[in-house]
Structure formats: structure tokens, C-alpha cells
């Protein structure tokens, strides 16, 4: 089957209108990474401390995941459901500088988005300085930084 240029242009425009072509939303990611909008995500299969997770992401040119909005959180919830992970996953935020004020580790700014579990962060025992995502509750929690959990890198 052969198409002339007008037919091809029509099909391309129709594809954009119907959402079949998402060139501006698709990012090419490396093997074992998942593309979502204009970012790539790596879901670890191993566990690490908070510092170890930050280092692992840094070594592969990425940062520990910092959820940006409710839309990304919903996508993340769906992705996490498909994988077997530890009960919590490290997120890129900590309150080691000022108790109760969780700051992004990538930009040293207040988190652009948070979804804390009710009653969190609570700093139980005075030693919960690192942010996690608690899979069972689909919400953020604070935990001791020396615990080991899976992590997600984003670039």
C-alpha cells in the first residue's frame, strides 16, 4: 500500500489529535529504565540505606525519586504495584538540617509535593530523618536513615 504526502500528513495529524502519537511525552530510556513523561525511572532490585540509595542513583547519573505531583504519584503507585519491593521505598528527602522540615536532597528546597501518611512525619525515637514511601498506605513516612529499603532513581 502506497500513500502520497497529503495522506501521510493527514494520518500524522490524526494521530496527534487522537493521542496515538506522543512525541513530546516519550523519552528514550536505557535498558531496565522506565519512561514516563519526560523522565526515566530505575526501580532497584536491591536494598540500601538512605545514603547508599542516594549514592547508587548518583553513580548512574540520576537522583533519588522526589515525587513532583499527584499525577506522578498515581503513576508511581501503579508501577510499584507490579514489582516486589520492601515495605517502604526511599524518597529523596530528609529533615537532618531542621527537624520536621523535609528538604529535597537534589535541590535543597522544601518538597514541591508531599503526601504524608496521617500522623507523619512523627520522628519516633528521635531518629527518623529520612523520607520513605510506605507501599501499604500509598503515602510518605519518615524512617531511620540506616534502615535498608529499595529505592527508585529518576533522571
Amino acid at each position: 500500500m502506497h500513500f502520497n504526502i497529503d495522506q501521510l500528513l493527514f494520518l500524522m495529524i490524526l494521530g496527534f489529535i487522537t493521542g496515538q502519537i506522543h512525541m513530546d511525552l516519550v523519552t528514550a530510556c536505557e535498558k531496565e529504565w522506565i519512561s514516563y513523561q519526560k523522565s526515566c525511572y530505575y526501580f532497584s532490585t536491591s536494598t540500601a540505606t538512605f545514603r547508599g540509595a542516594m549514592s547508587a542513583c548518583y553513580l548512574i547519573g540520576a537522583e533519588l525519586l522526589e515525587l513532583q505531583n499527584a499525577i506522578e504519584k498515581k503513576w508511581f503507585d501503579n508501577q510499584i504495584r507490579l514489582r516486589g519491593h520492601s515495605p517502604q521505598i526511599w524518597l529523596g528527602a530528609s529533615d537532618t538540617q531542621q527537624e520536621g522540615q523535609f528538604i529535597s536532597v537534589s535541590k535543597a528546597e522544601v518538597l514541591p509535593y508531599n503526601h504524608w501518611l496521617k500522623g507523619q512525619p512523627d520522628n519516633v525515637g528521635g531518629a527518623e530523618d529520612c523520607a520513605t514511601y510506605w507501599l501499604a498506605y500509598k503515602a510518605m513516612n519518615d524512617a531511620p536513615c540506616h534502615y535498608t529499603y529499595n529505592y527508585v532513581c529518576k533522571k
Side-chain angles (χ1 to χ4, degrees), residues 2 5-6 8 15 32-33 36 42 47-48 53 61 66 68 84-85 87-88 90-91 103 107 111-112 128-129 138 155:
H2 296 291
I5 193 74
D6 291 333
L8 288 175
E32 298 182 14
W33 289 71
Y36 176 66
Y42 173 77
T47 60
E66 298 167 8
Q68 299 298 306
H85 283 92
Q88 297 186 59
W90 290 121
L91 293 178
I103 302 296
K107 297 178 185 78
L111 295 174
E128 293 187 327
D129 293 323
K138 297 182 180 180
K155 61 179 174 177

Side-chain angles (χ1 to χ4, degrees), residues 2-3 11 17 21 27-28 30-31 38 48 51 54 63-64 76 84 96 107 111-112 120-121 138 145-146 149:
H2 296 291
F3 294 102
L11 290 174
I17 292 170
I21 300 173
T27 299
E30 301 161 49
K31 185 179 177 182
K38 294 182 181 183
R51 183 175 288 175
M54 283 192 326
E63 296 169 342
L64 207 50
F76 178 71
T96 55
K107 297 178 185 78
L111 295 174
Q120 299 298 328
K138 297 182 180 180
C145 301
H146 66 275
Y149 297 123

Side-chain angles (χ1 to χ4, degrees), residues 24 30 84 151 154:
D24 61 327
E30 301 161 49
Y151 54 93
K154 178 180 174 182

Side-chain angles (χ1 to χ4, degrees), residues 1 50 122 124 137:
M1 180 181 282
F50 182 76
D122 61 0
V124 167
Y137 299 100

